[in-house]
Structures are given as structure tokens and as C-alpha cells.
């Protein structure tokens, strides 16, 4: 297609989609007069009127509507191809804004961010630890690590793992307070409780064994909206903590914490990686998503059956 014809087609499509010569000119970076002349030249070449012009209104003729419908999608694909080419030319630079629930992100995502940075040193990661983000896209994030199901048409959710919850305490605490033999025995213990940062409610200690599901009444002398603070308190012998298994596994392995009620586990939350479902996701974001999914979906602490993970700590 000749250059003048291409200018005409582009000017016409932008005029119809934006509603005026002025708006089209703004998108194309030329003057409204130039847009109008390009369209007139195209009409002359085609031998058909595409636009109805008046002093107050700009309309599209029937022939113009049919021509627009045939041209709009190919032009959109051409623009996408140009964007992709520019993106590849400036490969792997810029900022990826990431939000994540603190315990999971600190334990499993942050070590991978360091590994990602070694592969893509020119990509800057901006990390916000926040359990209360409800509108990831509206708040300007590229990627999110969230717990629980998110139903939103503008977001793609890629499942990573389940986060089962267990009860644990330090050897020192359990030497002073013999471990409970059943969930009802938790009522006699100092249970360190988590307050949800968003709703402000206290998180229940739900425990499951086979078909049995129990939510015992628990009490204690420490409430916090930060899970790490509660786990630290448990390590120092203040009481029992109810926490995601992947978060406390290193402490069980080191002996700083011991498993309590090993047969009772709550299946927990599903953790997913979220990113916008729109077209044209930058290469740096696609690379980050791919890197994280590949590594997190292979991590043994996240993918192994929780009962198998707990086997060494029973008894």
C-alpha cells in the first residue's frame, strides 16, 4: 500500500474511533487539517464518501462503516506488532511493581527476587508487602501474590500452592506447658492470635482431621496483625502460634519450634500469582511472572503433601 494511502487509512480509522479530527490529530501527532486532508485524499482514491461532514457533526457513511470494520483490526494488530518490536529492542528494563502477602512473600518470593535480579540486572523490582490490597490494577501493581480466591475479569490468577496452617510452640514453652492432646486442650494454653489487617477481626484457629473440623475457642496475652511478630513470640516461649506450614518449616527443622497436634491441619488458603489480563503486558513483567511460577511450582516446601512434610516432626 502506498504511503499516502496508508496515511489516509490511519487518519480515517483514528477519526472514527476517537470521534473527531481533533482527537485523531492528537493521537497521531499531526494537525486536524492534515488529518482531514488525508481522509479526503483517501476518499478520492477510493471513489466513495466515507464521512459525512457538517458544521456541527461528523458522521460515518454506510460505506465508511464497512471500510472501518475491515481496517480497524489489522491496524490494531500492526500497532501491537510495533509495540512488541519496540519492547524487544528495549529488552528487560524498567520497573515491575509487586505486591504480596507478607509471610509468603518474605519466605519464598524475596529469595527468588534476588535470583531474578542476577538474570535481569536492569529490571528494578518495587516490592510492597501488604495483606489488604483489593484492587491490584487500580493501585498500579504489575504482579501480586495473594492468599484466597480473587474473582476479577481484569486479572489472571495462576495458582502456586495451598498454605496449610499448623499449631506450634517452642521447646521451652512446651516444657512448661505440656502440649494439648486434642484441639479442646488449646483452651488451657496461651494462644498468640492474629488480627486481619483489612477487616480487623481475629483469625479463627480452624483445625481439620479427616472429616472432623473444629474451631476451638482460644485465648492469649498477645494479639498482632503481623504474623512474623507472633511466630517470633512463639520462638521466644510466649505461647502457641497458628501459622502457615511453609512459614514455620525452617523453624521446625532448626528445632526452634515444635509441632503441636500433628494430626490436625487446616488446609488453608490458596496462594496465587496475579497479573493484568490486558494485552501488551511488558516483557519485563512476563519474564518476572514466568520466573516466579517456574521456581515456586517446583519448591518442595510448597508442592509436597503437608502430612509428608510433617512426618519428621511427629512424636
Amino acid at each position: 500500500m502506498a504511503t499516502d494511502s496508508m496515511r489516509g487509512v490511519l487518519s480515517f480509522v483514528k477519526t472514527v474511533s476517537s470521534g473527531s479530527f481533533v482527537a485523531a490529530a492528537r493521537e497521531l501527532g499531526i494537525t486536524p487539517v492534515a488529518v482531514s486532508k488525508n481522509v479526503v485524499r483517501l476518499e478520492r482514491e477510493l471513489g466513495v464518501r466515507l464521512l459525512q461532514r457538517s458544521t456541527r457533526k461528523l458522521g460515518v457513511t454506510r460505506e465508511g462503516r464497512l471500510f472501518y470494520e475491515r481496517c480497524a483490526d489489522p491496524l490494531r494488530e500492526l500497532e501491537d506488532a510495533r509495540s512488541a518490536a519496540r519492547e524487544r529492542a528495549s529488552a528487560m528494563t524498567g520497573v515491575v511493581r509487586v505486591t504480596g502477602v507478607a509471610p509468603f512473600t518474605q519466605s519464598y518470593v524475596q529469595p527468588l527476587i534476588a535470583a531474578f535480579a542476577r538474570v535481569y540486572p536492569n529490571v528494578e523490582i518495587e516490592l510492597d508487602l501488604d495483606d489488604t490490597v483489593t484492587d491490584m490494577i487500580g493501585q498500579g501493581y504489575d504482579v501480586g501474590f495473594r492468599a484466597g480466591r480473587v474473582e476479577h475479569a481484569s486479572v489472571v490468577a495462576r495458582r502456586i500452592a495451598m498454605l496449610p496452617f499448623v499449631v506450634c510452640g517452642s521447646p521451652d514453652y512446651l516444657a512448661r506447658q505440656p502440649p494439648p492432646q486434642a484441639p479442646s486442650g488449646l483452651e488451657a494454653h496461651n494462644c498468640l492470635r492474629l488480627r486481619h489487617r483489612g477487616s480487623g477481626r481475629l483469625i479463627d484457629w480452624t483445625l481439620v482431621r479427616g472429616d472432623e473440623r473444629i474451631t476451638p475457642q482460644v485465648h492469649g496475652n498477645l494479639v498482632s496483625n503481623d504474623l512474623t511478630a507472633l511466630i517470633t513470640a512463639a520462638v521466644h516461649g510466649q505461647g502457641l502460634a497458628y501459622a502457615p506450614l511453609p512459614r514455620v518449616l525452617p523453624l521446625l527443622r532448626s528445632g526452634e519450634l515444635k509441632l503441636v497436634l500433628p494430626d490436625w491441619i487446616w488446609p488453608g488458603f490458596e496462594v496465587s500469582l496475579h497479573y493484568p489480563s490486558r494485552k501488551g503486558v511488558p516483557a519485563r513483567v512476563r519474564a518476572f511472572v514466568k520466573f516466579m511460577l517456574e521456581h515456586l511450582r517446583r519448591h518442595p516446601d510448597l508442592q509436597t503433601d503437608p502430612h509428608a512434610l510433617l512426618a519428621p516432626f511427629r512424636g
Side-chain angles (χ1 to χ4, degrees):
M1 184 181 289
T3 302
D4 286 347
S5 296
M6 191 65 201
R7 288 198 189 101
V9 172
L10 188 57
S11 294
F12 168 71
V13 170
K14 290 293 185 183
T15 298
V16 175
S17 62
S18 63
S20 70
F21 289 138
V22 173
R26 191 179 303 118
E27 288 189 38
L28 294 171
I30 58 178
T31 67
V33 172
V35 173
S36 178
K37 286 183 177 180
N38 288 340
V39 175
V40 169
R41 191 180 299 114
L42 177 65
E43 289 177 323
R44 192 178 299 126
E45 177 188 336
L46 297 175
V48 65
R49 182 174 290 277
L50 301 174
L51 297 175
Q52 292 285 4
R53 304 162 179 81
S54 70
T55 55
R56 293 181 302 172
K57 189 176 180 182
L58 189 68
V60 185
T61 66
R62 182 175 180 275
E63 293 77 8
R65 176 59 59 185
L66 292 172
F67 188 73
Y68 173 81
E69 290 173 356
R70 294 292 297 272
C71 293
D73 284 343
L75 281 178
R76 195 174 296 115
E77 291 179 9
L78 179 60
E79 289 180 357
D80 286 346
R82 291 178 61 199
S83 297
R86 284 196 299 267
E87 191 174 286
R88 285 193 295 271
S90 58
M92 303 308 171
T93 62
V95 179
V96 178
R97 295 197 68 221
V98 181
T99 177
V101 288
F104 179 84
T105 305
Q106 289 169 331
S107 298
Y108 294 98
V109 177
Q110 281 191 255
L112 292 178
I113 289 177
F116 178 83
R118 289 192 290 271
V119 179
Y120 302 105
N122 295 322
V123 176
E124 178 183 341
I125 304 299
E126 185 177 316
L127 177 63
D128 289 342
L129 301 181
D130 192 340
D131 300 345
T132 62
V133 173
T134 56
D135 183 4
M136 193 189 88
I137 295 175
Q139 293 177 253
Y141 293 106
D142 298 303
V143 179
F145 295 91
R146 315 309 305 169
R149 297 183 65 83
V150 173
E151 304 291 345
H152 202 294
S154 61
V155 170
V156 176
R158 306 287 297 275
R159 185 183 184 277
I160 296 172
M162 295 297 294
L163 281 191
F165 275 61
V166 298
V167 180
C168 50
S170 72
D172 176 62
Y173 174 83
L174 294 171
R176 291 182 279 113
Q177 300 285 338
Q181 301 305 305
S184 59
L186 290 170
E187 297 180 13
H189 280 263
N190 192 41
C191 296
L192 313 175
R193 293 167 296 165
L194 179 67
R195 187 182 298 280
H196 191 277
R197 291 185 179 182
S199 66
R201 68 177 181 84
L202 290 173
I203 303 299
D204 291 332
W205 286 31
T206 301
L207 298 169
V208 175
R209 183 180 65 179
D211 295 331
E212 298 178 86
R213 181 186 179 97
I214 299 175
T215 304
Q217 295 297 311
V218 295
H219 307 278
N221 61 9
L222 178 63
V223 174
S224 175
N225 66 356
D226 183 74
L227 183 60
T228 299
L230 298 179
I231 294 173
T232 301
V235 168
H236 286 87
Q238 187 169 346
L240 299 180
Y242 177 71
L245 174 56
R247 182 69 179 82
V248 296
L249 261 177
L251 300 171
L252 293 173
R253 288 168 177 153
S254 69
E256 295 173 85
L257 289 177
K258 294 184 69 174
L259 188 63
V260 174
L261 299 172
D263 295 327
W264 294 87
I265 304 172
W266 183 49
F269 298 107
E270 180 178 278
V271 175
S272 301
L273 183 154
H274 299 171
Y275 59 94
S277 60
R278 64 176 182 265
K279 289 184 178 180
V281 174
R284 62 185 179 274
V285 176
R286 293 199 303 270
F288 184 85
V289 168
K290 181 181 179 183
F291 188 93
M292 290 294 154
L293 288 176
E294 285 180 351
H295 287 77
L296 292 171
R297 285 176 170 176
R298 293 201 307 261
H299 199 297
D301 288 359
L302 299 175
Q303 306 306 328
T304 305
D305 179 84
H307 292 281
L309 286 174
L310 291 174
F313 313 112
R314 297 176 182 272

